[in-house]
Amino acid sequence: MEIQPLLLQFGGSLLAIFALFALARALRLGGEPGLADEDAVRAAANEVDDGFEATRISISRDGSAALARSDDGRIMVIKRHGNRFVGRVLTSAARVREEVDGLVVDPFEPRFGRVRLRLVDAGTWADAINRL
């Protein structure tokens, strides 16, 4: 019985993929980043808008998004985008909708999209965003 070259190539490629997967797992590469604490949110906010000093922060229960407010009243929404975080400073065009377990923030930027946050203090944030 002779193994066809195409089948041998497929098997070798599949073996190489599994080997790379095992190496990545052993080195603990990849994974999903999260906003674990307020310092992580402050760092992400400062990357988005240099000099943004977050004084009030709420992190979504799953760590995938957060809201940050500065002393001057600006509010930033931060969300996971791939393995990094992106954010937008909200303007008066932003819309917010309260839900049972949190809220949905729409910065009114089509390329950014809506952000769903599961927050304990969702009503307070909704009021603050509506006052912008």
Side-chain angles (χ1 to χ4, degrees):
M1 177 175 190
E2 186 178 324
I3 299 176
Q4 294 186 9
L6 192 57
L7 187 60
L8 191 60
Q9 181 181 4
F10 173 76
S13 296
L14 193 59
L15 188 63
I17 290 169
F18 282 129
L20 289 174
F21 171 76
L23 179 65
R25 289 290 284 225
L27 294 174
R28 297 179 187 228
L29 300 175
E32 290 187 7
L35 295 167
D37 56 14
E38 290 188 1
D39 290 335
V41 175
R42 282 187 180 92
N46 197 31
E47 282 183 24
V48 171
D49 185 3
D50 193 29
F52 189 92
E53 294 288 329
T55 55
R56 183 161 182 262
I57 295 171
S58 284
I59 304 170
S60 183
R61 290 184 191 120
D62 61 358
S64 66
L67 287 168
R69 184 179 190 140
S70 65
D71 277 336
D72 60 0
R74 295 185 305 154
I75 299 174
M76 180 182 292
V77 62
I78 301 167
K79 72 175 183 176
R80 182 174 41 228
H81 182 73
N83 66 347
R84 303 185 58 90
F85 288 96
V86 296
R88 293 292 187 271
V89 175
L90 300 177
T91 65
S92 60
R95 299 290 175 251
V96 63
R97 183 179 74 238
E98 285 188 72
E99 293 187 344
V100 174
D101 64 341
L103 49 93
V104 176
V105 178
D106 185 359
F108 220 67
E109 277 189 48
R111 293 186 63 194
F112 190 76
R114 294 183 179 123
V115 182
R116 182 175 312 266
L117 299 112
R118 294 180 57 215
L119 302 172
V120 175
D121 54 349
T124 306
W125 281 104
D127 292 340
I129 292 169
N130 285 329
R131 282 192 302 266
L132 289 174

